Amino acid sequence: MQKGFSRYKTLYKTFSEKPVRSTCGLCQIGCGILIHVVGGRVTKIEGDLEHPLNRGKLCVKGKRAMDYLYHPQRLRAPLKKSKNGNWNPITWREAINEIAEGMNRIKKKYGAKSVVFMRGAAKGLQDDYLSRFANAFGSPNITSMGHVCFIPRKVASDITYGYYAIGDLEHPPGCIIVWANNVSETLHHVYERIKEAKKKGSFLIVIDPLRTDVAKLADIWVKIRPGTDLALALGIIYVIVDESLYDAEFIDKYTIGFEELQKEIRRYDLDIIEKITDVSSGLIKEVARVYAKKRPSVIQWGNGIDHTVHNFQTARAICILRAISGNLGVPGGDMYFSPPAIKKRGIPELTLQDLVPLEEREKRIGGAGFMLPSIFYALPQLVIDAILKGDPYEVKCVYIQGGNFLLTYPNARKVYEALKKVELLIVSDHFMTPTAHLAHYVLPAATFFEFDSLVLPPYSLPVLSIQQKVVQTSSVKSDYEILRDLSKPLGFGDLFWEEEKECLDNILSPLGITFDNFRETGIMSGKPMPHNHVNHGFPTDSGKVEIYSKKLKEWGYDPIPSIDVERVLSSRLDTNYPFILTSLKRSYFRHSGGKNIDALRKKYPEPLVLIHPNVAKSLGIKEGSYVYVETNLGRIIQKVRIEPHMHENTVYVDYGWYFPEKNAGELFGWDKANINILIGDDPPYGEEFGTPNLRAIPCKITPILDL
Ligand code: SF4
């Protein structure tokens, strides 16, 4: 366990109250913070210098976390919509009883499956509590954003080598490839480490259609065409195999299926890969050679990979690349870090998934048809369809935990129609969002300042951190408390601990400590496990890295990553929509969140669309003007920024925009600049996870002359 809190005790002895160690919960990175509380009010937060992840730094959002807590428009009481559409405050008792009565009524009439539980952006343990509640209620329909965020990479890693590898950036690596990961905007702690490694001599390659801030530091910037990462990964593997740059000893001792890979990869040639990716064959060779020869090398991948129908096989190809080049499991490469031994997120003991029999679980909407058998979620876009069409069965009640789906789900107008049709819609959130405004009940959820929890981020260095309740503003409740209270009138209150802290004690129990014990230190780091495979092999069925996966074959999926070249090239032809739409996330906001924080809006007041100067010139578009961005689904307006350093035919649209300063009755301008007005949710979906295609959508741009 990390050393005590002594440094801060000394540092802050002049304060009337010493700061409380906690974790920022505005996103799932898990940065350590110190919260100063004076007279029952948070007066200041700062980065925790002793926290191994962020080492005292906070991102621009995290620095403004107090603005969320004390925001004048924060939801402070449960609200019920009247028949004329007005919101009226009601007591918690009324809200809980009425919602429970409504859920029970719908369950009796249509069955438990007709009640769907939908999770928004990841909220850590609160997500597991919602699964627990749904399973206790008897519904197999729990959605998450897993199919478009992290889970394709996580499952590909597990299937290929049995764990989620993390780049050992502090070693430092000989070469770092940052792939589809805008670390400078979204992962500041990784960005810091990459900058340090670069200073120590790491060779940096960035694969991104846009010259992001991290790409500006790169030795090689690979300006890839959006959505073609699988082809590029196969191209790099092709060069490594063709030029015998692989680690023959590692392959021989620790992998299965290299011969099948060699056979498969010979189907391609670099000219085809160049045509698909817009990356020259010469550059593909250079990247492959540097990555394989300068080892140990790291591939720092990101969420961009998750957003296409090829997400899982792209991730598999990158996993294979790590293995065959001898960069897996070695210091300075991509390695296993063993997390602190607490009970894991998502285990049946916590989610109670076994309360819903397997045959019932297989009836979850879209689940059994599209997802790898190892994943147990309903598919969000098919839940939307089910609400509208009653197919495969009726969905009458939806409980949304912290999700603003009018902004974050594709085909936003369809989502609007669906949510309007739901007989009983409940949203728990911090603010009145466009989505919450469609609900019948809105429940005021606690921020991370207002409840105790444990944070163990799944996709970076495994550091267990404490989140401590420091204040209680009005009558807000944590998601746990809301679900616990709802469970009682629904008849399964005995399945929830009376206090959330008892659940946290249970999660910590393998360590032999309680949550109160953990308050003493509040930080516990996992351990790097270099060369773990030498003595223990890999935790897969075969004990080896599975380049060829029998399991995938049995489940009906490609056992080796491949790409249908003809299909990829032919699907591009659409002369009506000649540009390639993709999206951009900014450090100021998390998804649609943060648009109501004045300090952040001052820095980034409105959505921007990035357009290449050649395109702007050909269409007569000027910097700072407004344009329509249009697809076959509709059009939106964003302000132009001309960006010379990007893939020329690409149009980068800002994601997650609505305008909380606008009229609630018009849903805060939810459809004016919202990229999800433009993006469809139609099949074909990704075979493994049912992911709709969110990147590389054909679009056009038109200048607006009279705005
Ligand atoms: S990255 Fe920013 S928002 Fe996310 S946990 Fe860290 S400080 Fe908070």
Side-chain angles (χ1 to χ4, degrees):
M1 206 181 287
Q2 202 83 7
K3 262 197 300 124
F5 210 6
S6 52
R7 184 170 168 191
Y8 287 105
K9 281 180 186 155
T10 320
L11 201 59
Y12 292 106
K13 65 185 174 201
T14 53
F15 278 66
S16 54
E17 294 177 39
K18 76 174 172 24
V20 179
R21 170 166 278 164
S22 194
T23 309
C24 173
L26 286 184
C27 83
Q28 283 297 288
I29 302 301
C31 296
I33 55 171
L34 299 174
I35 307 175
H36 296 263
V37 184
V38 177
R41 199 173 162 87
V42 176
T43 54
K44 178 178 163 185
I45 69 162
E46 61 190 315
D48 184 347
L49 285 164
E50 289 182 3
H51 198 283
L53 210 62
N54 59 311
R55 302 182 298 200
K57 296 209 167 166
L58 297 178
C59 79
V60 61
K61 293 186 286 294
K63 286 178 188 160
R64 304 307 312 188
M66 272 173 57
D67 297 6
Y68 292 77
L69 174 66
Y70 292 125
H71 197 287
Q73 275 142 16
R74 183 88 196 276
L75 293 167
R76 296 188 185 282
L79 298 175
K80 178 182 180 181
K81 193 182 270 167
S82 66
K83 286 211 169 78
N84 60 13
N86 292 332
W87 288 107
N88 297 317
I90 56 174
T91 65
W92 273 108
R93 181 188 290 265
E94 288 167 327
I96 294 293
N97 286 339
E98 290 179 23
I99 292 168
E101 188 277 320
M103 281 182 165
N104 253 341
R105 177 173 39 81
I106 288 168
K107 183 180 180 177
K108 270 194 200 127
K109 192 162 173 196
Y110 301 97
K113 290 199 293 292
S114 67
V115 179
V116 177
F117 298 88
M118 304 183 83
R119 294 161 25 175
K123 285 185 108 176
L125 279 172
Q126 307 296 306
D127 293 336
D128 284 14
Y129 302 149
L130 187 65
S131 298
R132 186 178 184 92
F133 185 91
N135 288 318
F137 184 81
S139 174
N141 286 316
I142 308 156
T143 73
S144 88
M145 296 312 289
H147 65 317
V148 295
C149 185
F150 177 61
I151 296 297
R153 283 174 287 145
K154 162 83 174 125
V155 177
S157 305
D158 287 346
I159 283 180
T160 312
Y161 38 72
Y163 59 82
Y164 187 80
I166 291 163
D168 182 17
L169 292 168
E170 287 176 31
H171 183 73
C175 166
I176 302 168
I177 297 185
V178 177
W179 198 324
N181 196 191
N182 193 353
V183 285
S184 29
E185 296 276 341
T186 58
L187 284 177
H188 70 106
H189 66 297
V190 173
Y191 186 38
E192 290 301 319
R193 283 169 173 81
I194 289 172
K195 285 193 280 189
E196 286 162 18
K198 183 83 183 71
K199 276 189 199 142
K200 290 180 194 158
S202 295
F203 191 94
L204 180 61
I205 299 172
V206 175
I207 299 171
D208 203 301
L210 176 69
R211 197 167 73 128
T212 56
D213 281 352
V214 71
K216 288 177 191 156
L217 303 177
D219 299 286
I220 297 176
W221 167 41
V222 180
K223 194 171 33 166
I224 187 176
R225 181 185 174 103
T228 62
D229 304 82
L230 175 56
L232 183 63
L234 293 172
I236 298 172
I237 293 174
Y238 177 92
V239 177
I240 288 177
V241 170
D242 190 51
E243 299 187 6
S244 302
L245 298 171
Y246 47 83
D247 182 336
E249 192 186 335
F250 182 91
I251 289 170
D252 189 41
K253 275 192 187 162
Y254 301 114
T255 71
I256 55 169
F258 186 63
E259 295 75 23
E260 287 91 338
L261 177 72
Q262 283 176 304
K263 225 182 282 164
E264 169 65 26
I265 212 74
R266 299 240 175 261
R267 290 204 303 119
Y268 308 102
D269 69 53
L270 286 190
D271 292 339
I272 292 284
I273 302 288
E274 176 174 326
K275 215 168 165 189
I276 295 175
T277 60
D278 293 344
V279 180
S280 73
S281 55
L283 191 55
I284 297 170
K285 282 182 190 165
E286 195 181 346
V287 169
R289 288 170 189 157
V290 172
Y291 175 69
K293 288 181 182 174
K294 278 192 179 285
R295 63 186 185 197
S297 298
V298 155
I299 297 177
Q300 170 64 40
W301 58 10
N303 184 226
I305 286 170
D306 304 326
H307 285 181
T308 72
V309 294
H310 303 299
N311 50 15
F312 176 76
Q313 294 296 357
T314 308
R316 277 266 296 152
I318 292 174
C319 292
I320 289 168
L321 199 48
R322 289 171 172 152
I324 63 170
S325 58
N327 285 310
L328 185 67
V330 296
D334 286 298
M335 256 191 354
Y336 176 53
F337 285 73
S338 147
I342 60 170
K343 289 189 182 172
K344 282 190 183 157
R345 290 265 324 271
I347 56 171
E349 180 192 336
L350 197 54
T351 64
L352 301 180
Q353 70 178 41
D354 297 334
L355 288 181
V356 178
L358 195 58
E359 57 278 16
E360 195 62 14
R361 189 162 292 288
E362 284 181 351
K363 292 181 194 150
R364 68 196 187 279
I365 296 168
F370 290 103
M371 292 193 182
L372 281 170
S374 57
I375 299 295
F376 282 118
Y377 297 127
L379 200 55
Q381 72 269 25
L382 293 188
V383 168
I384 297 298
D385 279 347
I387 295 168
L388 288 169
K389 297 178 194 155
D391 180 27
Y393 42 79
E394 301 279 2
V395 170
K396 293 290 181 183
C397 172
V398 173
Y399 184 100
I400 298 176
Q401 182 171 280
N404 188 5
F405 301 146
L406 285 190
L407 274 297
T408 57
Y409 273 15
N411 207 342
R413 289 201 193 282
K414 190 161 129 188
V415 176
Y416 171 84
E417 293 303 328
L419 294 184
K420 287 271 286 182
K421 191 168 176 247
V422 170
E423 196 174 307
L424 176 60
L425 178 63
I426 307 118
V427 175
S428 80
D429 214 319
H430 303 139
F431 297 100
M432 183 62 78
T433 65
T435 304
H437 201 69
L438 295 179
H440 302 101
Y441 293 89
V442 175
L443 304 177
T447 65
F448 70 88
F449 294 100
E450 295 158 315
F451 64 99
D452 290 333
S453 196
L454 295 164
V455 180
L456 180 56
Y459 37 63
S460 62
L461 295 169
V463 182
L464 175 68
S465 314
I466 197 156
Q467 175 184 307
Q468 303 202 62
K469 176 171 180 168
V470 289
V471 286
Q472 170 77 44
T473 59
S474 56
S475 67
V476 299
K477 288 180 191 267
S478 71
D479 288 301
Y480 181 89
E481 290 168 327
I482 296 172
L483 297 170
R484 175 204 60 197
D485 291 352
L486 261 177
S487 71
K488 291 176 184 169
L490 285 167
F492 50 86
D494 55 325
L495 296 177
F496 278 77
W497 294 268
E498 192 47 42
E499 293 300 326
E500 189 168 354
K501 200 153 69 66
E502 294 169 63
C503 173
L504 302 174
D505 287 345
N506 183 290
I507 290 170
L508 287 169
S509 60
L511 293 171
I513 58 170
T514 64
F515 188 78
D516 282 335
N517 298 146
F518 192 47
R519 289 186 204 275
E520 291 291 311
T521 54
I523 299 173
M524 190 183 293
S525 290
K527 278 197 213 103
M529 305 291 282
H531 304 297
N532 192 49
H533 53 274
V534 173
N535 292 325
H536 304 289
F538 286 91
T540 57
D541 290 349
S542 62
K544 297 194 172 191
V545 176
E546 302 203 346
I547 294 172
Y548 180 97
S549 168
K550 273 194 198 156
K551 192 185 264 176
L552 286 176
K553 177 84 181 156
E554 277 164 29
W555 288 346
Y557 302 107
D558 272 352
I560 289 212
S562 69
I563 196 164
D564 183 340
V565 170
E566 295 307 318
R567 208 178 110 195
V568 169
L569 290 173
S570 65
S571 67
R572 289 179 175 179
L573 303 170
D574 193 337
T575 43
N576 292 326
Y577 299 100
F579 301 112
I580 308 162
L581 177 78
T582 193
S583 64
L584 196 55
K585 289 186 181 129
R586 300 287 185 180
S587 57
Y588 304 98
F589 311 111
R590 186 188 190 205
H591 301 289
S592 66
K595 306 296 186 305
N596 55 350
I597 304 298
D598 288 349
L600 299 176
R601 284 293 293 283
K602 267 190 196 132
K603 288 179 199 284
Y604 202 91
E606 59 185 321
L608 298 175
V609 51
L610 306 187
I611 298 173
H612 193 276
N614 294 348
V615 172
K617 193 170 167 202
S618 70
L619 297 172
I621 292 169
K622 297 214 162 27
E623 170 82 15
S625 64
Y626 290 84
V627 289
Y628 290 120
V629 185
E630 187 172 342
T631 66
N632 60 350
L633 279 183
R635 69 183 188 186
I636 60 166
I637 298 173
Q638 294 203 352
K639 187 176 181 176
V640 171
R641 175 168 289 173
I642 294 179
E643 170 57 63
H645 304 294
M646 58 185 265
H647 183 275
E648 183 166 331
N649 287 328
T650 297
V651 173
Y652 264 99
V653 171
D654 261 347
Y655 159 78
W657 270 89
Y658 74 105
F659 303 91
E661 65 274 22
K662 286 194 191 288
N663 191 327
E666 291 164 17
L667 299 182
F668 311 104
W670 71 285
D671 57 352
K672 302 287 178 275
N674 174 1
I675 189 172
N676 278 316
I677 293 288
L678 308 178
I679 296 179
D681 64 346
D682 289 334
Y685 304 134
E687 286 179 9
E688 298 85 1
F689 290 95
T691 308
N693 200 38
L694 306 178
R695 302 263 172 167
I697 315 281
C699 75
K700 68 179 179 186
I701 328 160
T702 319
I704 304 176
L705 304 173
D706 54 353
L707 196 75

